[in-house]
């Protein structure tokens, strides 16, 4: 709460700085703003930046560093014998001190030393925070004064401001890139730990998946088999079924929308189809589990087939419906982008509309269409909820779409649901699966982007 | 008019029998009228050029001749337009057949994103003009030769047509149009996207093609009209103001507006 008030104060100061800067710029220009290097607003922004940025940076650093410093001070103030405790017990004790200081429930009896430590800790933090607030405001005021003093008609305020903004943008994108990198690296490292326990060839080529390992020696548990082939096969089968549903429906509706539908119709149909992509997957999931799966089962039984109540077919079909808009919308855009001149060229040679579509528009749009298919596919591979609810959890290695199967994503969920040891093979297996999944979807996306880009170069 | 009987008439008729003729042609885009009562005859094995200020309806008129206006929403054509004395707007006429007989070349070269070979072979395949692969190869070679492109591309027939230069692309489009062996070729500003050298080549080509085809060309260049055409029609605000032999029209125009346009006073 404290920091919110501080931020509000700093922003107010910056606003004041903005108007001061503007006024000051007008003044130094001697009433003729055209003699200034930049327009007065930029001088205002310049002052506002000097006022706001340094103190905000200070605050950010403080928020990161302060807890560590406070803890270090706390430890060094504790009696010698406590400091000598083993690391895990020491950290429990420190937790208690912190809880005591903030008035939370404490897991042990409170003795004098503990109480003293807590009081010291609380007051240190209080003093520290107060000091920080004062310093931050002081810096803001100093920055304001400094920048305002600096304003001259030749100051390149616009360039300075624009440079600051571009630094800001670079910082923002760096954060995004670093986050991605962090996720990938942590996947990689945890997967390495997994492969230290289970050999990679067993994981990639093993035919049996049963990740339940015994937690205690005397426990009766699964043997712990980590052959991921059944999962890959399940993923592949469900994705294939989904594509079998989505590709024809998606492509035909794309062709209808871009070539045959009157504009009014297209304006209605396209957003309607796009709604399909906006339906939460969990809704699709219970739709699949409660409507489609029983329907398939009943139909199957009536013609004498043995259908399990959870089947790859149900999940795949519903997933196919979900990814239709990826194909239809993107393909429609791509076909619309085929220049009118090409259509005219074909018509002028005597091609009919359907011949033109088949022989000219479709081939010209093909790279973009392939791109849309790949995007839809990577979406299908990554989908979890529908499969959890409709295809089951059993890691069967089967080619029969009427049986229950499971996918990579579903297994990741089941591996991590509930209480887990974070270094057991079972938990780490999730990272290995995640890594494989990431590699596959990344490859698909890269191919899709590449194909789409090649398509773009064609008509300019 | 006894259309059917005359349609069978062989090409050995008198030179000055018009190949195509239009009578009282009115074209509307929605409510606006783009062409008003245009009467014009297109002579066989002649080059007819259409000139006039921008927006006067030259392209609109040209598109009437192979019914390319059909694909434009809200465009309506009235009047009689005949090819070899057969009404091309009569019901039951096969537009596909018509466009095989009346080909078109556009302002901007628009090769299909296919190989050079497939670009040329597209029309013949569509209309089943070639029985065998050898026939098709032959058609491709003849068309490219006639368009003056064969020497330049004979070693890379399988390269994409979009990879050619602008002038080559336009000659490719001309070759594509003549590959279906049409009787009339319509050209809408075929040189406006080209440099003077490429333009000169296309003009030469048009002059050669005149032996075998009837050509209608829209152009903004009066020099070009004077160089390539035998007959010139001047359009103004949807009216056909004047049509006569090219030399006559440029040296001795009858109408004030024509005079004004060719001397550069407006347009
Ligand atoms: N698709 C269309 N929809 C509506 N109006 C059109 C359309 N095409 C042409 N017009 C109108 O019809 C008139 C004639 O157009 P047209 O394209 O035939 O002119 P043009 O003589 O070819 O001109 P330019 O020399 O600039 O090519 C113009 O007023 C134009 O605005
Ligand atoms: Mg035009």
């Amino acid at each position: 709460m404290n920091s919110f008030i501080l931020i509000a104060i700093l922003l107010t100061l910056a606003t004041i700085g903005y108007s001061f800067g503007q006024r000051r710029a007008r003044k130094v220009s001697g009433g003729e703003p055209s003699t200034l290097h930049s327009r007065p607003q930029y001088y205002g922004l310049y002052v506002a930046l000097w006022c706001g940025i340094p103190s905000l940076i200070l605050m950010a650093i403080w928020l990161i560093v302060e807890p560590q410093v406070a803890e270090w001070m706390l430890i060094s103030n504790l009696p010698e014998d406590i400091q000598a405790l083993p690391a895990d017990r020491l950290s429990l004790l420190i937790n208690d001190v912190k809880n005591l200081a903030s008035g939370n429930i404490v897991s042990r009896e409170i003795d004098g030393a503990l109480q003293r430590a807590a009081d010291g800790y609380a007051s240190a933090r209080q003093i520290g925070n107060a000091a920080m607030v004062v310093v931050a405001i002081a810096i803001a005021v100093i920055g304001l004064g400094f920048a305002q003093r600096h304003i001259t008609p030749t100051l390149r305020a616009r360039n300075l401001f624009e440079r600051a903004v571009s630094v800001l943008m670079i910082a923002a994108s760096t954060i995004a890139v670093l986050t991605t990198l962090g996720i990938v690296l942590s996947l990689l490292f945890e997967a390495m730990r997994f492969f230290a326990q289970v050999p990679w060839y067993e994981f990639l080529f093993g035919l049996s998946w049963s990740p339940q390992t015994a937690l205690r020696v005397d426990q009766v548990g699964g043997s712990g088999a980590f052959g991921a082939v059944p999962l890959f096969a399940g993923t592949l089968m469900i994705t294939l079924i989904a594509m079998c549903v989505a590709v024809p429906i998606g492509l035909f509706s794309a062709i209808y929308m871009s070539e045959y539908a009157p504009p009014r119709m297209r304006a209605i149909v396209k957003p309607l189809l796009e709604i399909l992509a906006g339906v939460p997957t969990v809704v699709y999931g219970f739709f699949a589990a409660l409507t489609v799966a029983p329907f398939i089962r009943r139909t199957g039984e009536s013609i004498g087939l043995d259908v399990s109540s959870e089947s790859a077919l149900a999940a795949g079909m519903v997933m196919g419906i979900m990814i239709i808009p990826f194909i239809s919308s993107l393909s429609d855009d791509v076909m619309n982008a085929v220049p009118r001149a090409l259509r005219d060229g074909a018509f002028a040679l005597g091609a009919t509309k359907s011949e033109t579509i088949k022989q000219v528009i479709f081939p010209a749009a093909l790279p973009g269409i392939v791109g849309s298919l790949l995007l839809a596919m990577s979406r299908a591979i990554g989908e979890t909820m529908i499969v959890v609810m409709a295809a089951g959890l059993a890691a069967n290695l089967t080619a029969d779409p009427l049986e229950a199967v499971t996918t990579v994503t579903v297994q990741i969920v089941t591996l991590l649901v509930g209480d887990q040891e974070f270094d057991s093979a079972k938990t780490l297996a999730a990272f290995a699966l995640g890594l494989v999944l990431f590699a596959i979807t990344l490859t698909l996306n890269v191919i899709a982007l590449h194909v789409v880009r090649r398509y773009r170069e064609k008509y300019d | 008019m006894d259309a059917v009987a005359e349609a069978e008439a062989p090409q050995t008729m008198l030179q000055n029998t018009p190949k195509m003729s239009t009578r009282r042609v009115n074209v509307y885009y929605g409510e606006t009228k783009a062409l008003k009562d245009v009467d014009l005859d297109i002579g066989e094995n002649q080059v007819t050029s259409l000139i006039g200020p921008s927006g006067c309806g030259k392209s609109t008129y040209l598109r009437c001749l192979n019914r390319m206006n059909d694909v434009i929403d809200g465009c309506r054509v009235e009047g009689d337009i005949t090819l070899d004395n057969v009404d091309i707007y009569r019901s039951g006429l096969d537009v596909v057949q018509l466009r095989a007989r009346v080909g078109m070349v556009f302002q901007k070269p628009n090769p299909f994103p296919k190989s050079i070979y497939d670009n040329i072979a597209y029309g013949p395949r569509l209309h089943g003009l070639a029985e065998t692969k050898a026939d098709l190869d032959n058609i491709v070679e003849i068309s490219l030769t006639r368009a003056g492109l064969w020497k330049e591309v004979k070693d890379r027939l399988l390269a994409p047509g979009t990879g050619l230069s602008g002038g080559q692309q336009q000659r490719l489009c001309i070759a594509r149009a003549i590959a279906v062996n049409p009787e009339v070729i319509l050209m809408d500003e075929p040189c406006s996207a080209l440099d003077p050298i490429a333009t000169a080549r296309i003009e030469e080509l048009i002059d050669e093609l005149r032996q075998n085809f009837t050509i209608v060309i829209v152009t903004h260049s009066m020099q070009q009209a004077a160089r390539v055409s035998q007959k010139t029609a001047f359009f103004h605000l949807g009216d056909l103001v004047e049509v006569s032999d090219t030399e006559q029209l440029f040296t001795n125009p009858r109408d004030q507006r024509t005079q004004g346009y060719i001397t550069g006073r407006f347009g």
Side-chain angles (χ1 to χ4, degrees):
Chain A
M1 204 54 224
N2 218 339
S3 15
F4 282 116
I5 296 173
L6 180 57
I7 287 176
I9 293 175
L10 290 180
L11 286 181
T12 317
L13 274 175
T15 318
I16 295 171
Y18 175 74
S19 68
F20 273 21
Q22 231 176 338
R23 212 172 306 156
R24 168 94 186 164
R26 288 228 167 77
K27 209 169 123 201
V28 296
S29 75
E32 274 183 70
S34 59
T35 58
L36 292 171
H37 171 271
S38 319
R39 276 180 289 135
Q41 292 91 299
Y42 283 106
Y43 292 92
L45 288 169
Y46 171 77
V47 176
L49 277 184
W50 267 108
C51 178
I53 298 290
S55 41
L56 283 178
I57 290 176
L58 173 83
M59 221 179 119
I61 294 176
W62 176 263
L63 286 179
I64 296 167
V65 172
E66 187 260 358
Q68 254 110 56
V69 177
E71 190 175 311
W72 174 78
M73 275 168 56
L74 169 64
I75 295 174
S76 58
N77 283 344
L78 286 174
E80 293 280 311
D81 55 328
I82 297 185
Q83 278 190 44
L85 282 173
D88 50 344
R89 298 204 35 208
L90 183 64
S91 86
L92 273 179
L93 182 95
I94 286 170
N95 246 335
D96 277 334
V97 174
K98 286 180 186 168
N99 283 340
L100 188 59
S102 56
N104 278 346
I105 298 167
V106 177
S107 66
R108 69 183 74 208
E109 278 174 37
I110 304 162
D111 61 14
L114 205 64
Q115 186 65 53
R116 263 198 308 287
D119 289 347
Y121 179 73
S123 74
R125 293 203 66 175
Q126 230 166 14
I127 293 170
N129 271 331
M132 197 273 292
V133 168
V134 171
V135 172
I137 292 178
I139 288 183
V141 172
I142 290 170
L144 196 158
F146 169 79
Q148 208 192 0
R149 187 82 45 82
H150 251 225
I151 291 178
T152 60
T154 51
L155 180 75
R156 302 159 67 81
R158 179 168 47 82
N159 308 41
L160 290 170
F161 175 72
E162 274 162 8
R163 184 146 3 117
V165 169
S166 75
V167 167
L168 204 71
M169 290 189 287
I170 291 170
S173 48
T174 313
I175 289 175
V177 170
L178 287 183
T179 314
T180 318
L181 209 66
I183 292 175
V184 174
L185 284 181
S186 88
L187 262 186
L188 209 59
F189 283 126
E190 300 295 327
M192 301 272 269
R193 285 174 64 193
F194 172 73
F195 288 127
Q197 299 184 25
V198 178
W200 61 269
Y201 46 86
E202 197 185 311
F203 173 74
L204 282 184
F205 303 115
L207 297 183
S208 132
W209 176 265
S210 143
Q212 298 307 330
T213 43
L215 287 178
R216 297 186 307 276
V217 190
D218 57 328
Q219 204 175 27
V220 189
S223 52
F226 290 98
V229 170
L231 311 188
F232 299 147
T235 306
L236 190 69
M237 178 151 77
I238 290 188
T239 307
L240 274 182
I241 295 171
M243 293 304 275
C244 286
V245 173
V247 170
I249 299 182
L251 282 187
F252 282 128
S253 38
I255 291 175
Y256 172 71
M257 284 192 296
S258 81
E259 305 300 325
Y260 290 100
R264 185 99 70 66
M265 184 74 160
R266 179 168 182 263
I268 298 172
V269 171
K270 198 170 180 186
L272 277 184
L273 270 179
E274 278 164 3
I275 288 179
L276 283 179
V279 175
T281 54
V282 68
V283 175
Y284 281 114
F286 64 68
F287 178 64
L290 302 182
T291 314
V292 178
F295 173 77
I296 291 175
R297 194 160 115 124
R298 252 179 285 123
T299 320
E301 274 167 359
S302 69
I303 56 171
L305 284 174
D306 184 23
V307 186
S308 66
S309 58
E310 295 173 318
S311 67
L313 191 60
M317 275 169 56
V318 173
M319 199 192 282
I321 305 281
M322 181 188 78
I323 59 177
I324 284 173
F326 287 83
I327 298 177
S328 67
S329 258
L330 281 172
S331 303
D332 169 55
D333 290 343
V334 172
M335 287 199 277
N336 251 317
V338 173
R340 166 145 209 117
L342 280 187
R343 293 157 211 265
D344 284 350
F347 287 141
L349 285 171
T352 62
K353 191 156 190 168
S354 71
E355 285 165 341
T356 306
I357 294 169
K358 267 191 310 233
Q359 296 158 358
V360 175
I361 298 175
F362 201 77
L366 194 63
I369 291 172
V370 170
S372 80
L373 296 188
L374 290 177
L375 284 182
M377 196 147 128
S378 70
R379 180 71 210 264
I381 291 174
E383 175 51 37
T384 313
M385 215 56 208
I386 297 175
V387 192
V388 175
M389 295 169 84
L393 302 172
N396 290 328
L397 184 56
T398 170
D400 180 1
L402 300 177
E403 272 186 57
V405 296
T406 191
T407 66
V408 175
T409 50
V410 169
Q411 284 310 310
I412 294 179
V413 173
T414 50
L415 287 174
L416 296 183
V417 168
D419 289 338
Q420 302 295 340
E421 265 184 292
F422 262 89
D423 52 358
S424 73
K426 184 185 164 196
T427 318
L428 291 174
F431 288 98
L433 288 177
L435 188 67
V436 173
L437 201 62
F438 173 74
I440 293 174
T441 44
L442 183 71
T443 316
L444 281 179
N445 277 328
V446 168
I447 297 175
L449 285 179
H450 182 77
V451 168
V452 170
R453 177 146 358 113
R454 236 190 49 202
Y455 161 77
R456 276 219 192 97
E457 287 164 359
K458 217 163 223 161
Y459 303 119
D460 47 358
Chain B
M1 213 182 296
D2 189 2
V4 184
E6 300 225 19
E8 307 304 326
Q11 298 199 343
T12 48
M13 298 204 33
L14 286 174
Q15 253 293 321
N16 50 12
T17 309
K19 180 74 181 170
M20 298 192 79
S21 87
T22 57
R23 290 291 174 269
R24 297 178 311 282
V25 170
N26 289 294
V27 180
Y28 303 84
Y29 289 108
E31 292 301 304
T32 53
K33 198 167 180 177
L35 281 182
K36 301 165 197 158
D37 280 331
V38 175
D39 290 3
L40 181 61
D41 288 341
I42 312 286
E44 183 153 19
N45 290 2
Q46 268 192 343
V47 179
T48 306
S49 58
L50 312 180
I51 60 169
S54 190
C56 65
K58 306 179 295 292
S59 302
T60 304
Y61 179 77
L62 203 66
R63 285 198 302 264
C64 290
L65 298 180
N66 68 344
R67 294 187 55 172
M68 280 297 280
N69 282 330
D70 292 12
V71 298
I72 296 175
D73 288 334
C75 181
R76 193 154 51 82
V77 179
E78 287 173 357
D80 298 328
I81 304 177
T82 61
L83 171 63
D84 287 337
N85 285 328
V86 179
D87 184 1
I88 63 168
Y89 276 82
R90 73 170 196 275
S91 64
L93 173 123
D94 187 1
V95 185
V96 171
Q97 290 306 317
L98 172 69
R99 292 188 187 143
R101 294 175 67 194
V102 184
M104 189 164 198
V105 175
F106 297 84
Q107 175 170 6
K108 234 182 107 210
N110 58 349
F112 301 130
K114 300 171 186 281
S115 70
I116 294 173
Y117 184 96
D118 286 337
N119 261 285
I120 309 292
Y122 184 78
R125 279 185 185 136
L126 207 59
H127 299 289
L129 299 184
E131 300 271 300
T132 61
K133 175 85 168 77
D135 279 354
L136 197 58
D137 289 349
N138 199 27
I139 292 179
V140 170
E141 177 169 352
I142 290 175
S143 313
L144 283 170
T145 311
R146 275 178 160 180
L149 196 59
W150 175 250
K151 283 207 196 90
E152 287 157 71
V153 301
K154 67 171 187 282
D155 298 324
R156 46 172 178 152
L157 287 177
L158 298 182
T162 41
L164 296 173
S165 77
Q168 289 173 326
Q169 286 189 15
Q170 193 61 302
R171 276 181 281 149
L172 181 69
C173 292
I174 294 176
R176 184 175 73 184
I178 58 188
V180 292
N181 206 13
E183 296 155 38
V184 182
I185 302 177
L186 312 174
M187 300 185 172
D188 194 349
E189 300 180 41
C191 303
S192 65
L194 305 181
D195 69 88
I197 295 173
T199 302
R201 299 208 54 166
I202 302 235
E203 286 178 5
E204 248 169 66
L205 179 60
I206 291 173
D207 208 48
E208 285 162 24
L209 292 177
R210 176 158 67 90
Q211 319 292 324
N212 303 300
F213 304 97
T214 300
I215 294 174
V216 186
I217 177 173
V218 171
T219 176
H220 273 286
S221 152
M222 274 162 288
Q223 290 87 336
Q224 184 169 64
R227 281 193 300 264
V228 301
S229 69
Q230 286 75 53
K231 216 158 94 177
T232 300
F234 172 67
F235 284 75
H236 182 58
L237 295 177
D239 287 311
L240 172 62
V241 174
E242 180 170 351
V243 53
S244 52
D245 287 348
T246 301
E247 216 179 295
Q248 153 92 25
L249 186 124
F250 281 113
T251 52
N252 193 8
R254 283 191 300 266
D255 196 285
Q256 278 294 304
R257 289 168 288 177
T258 319
Q259 170 100 42
Y261 183 70
I262 62 177
T263 53
R265 255 179 281 142
F266 71 90

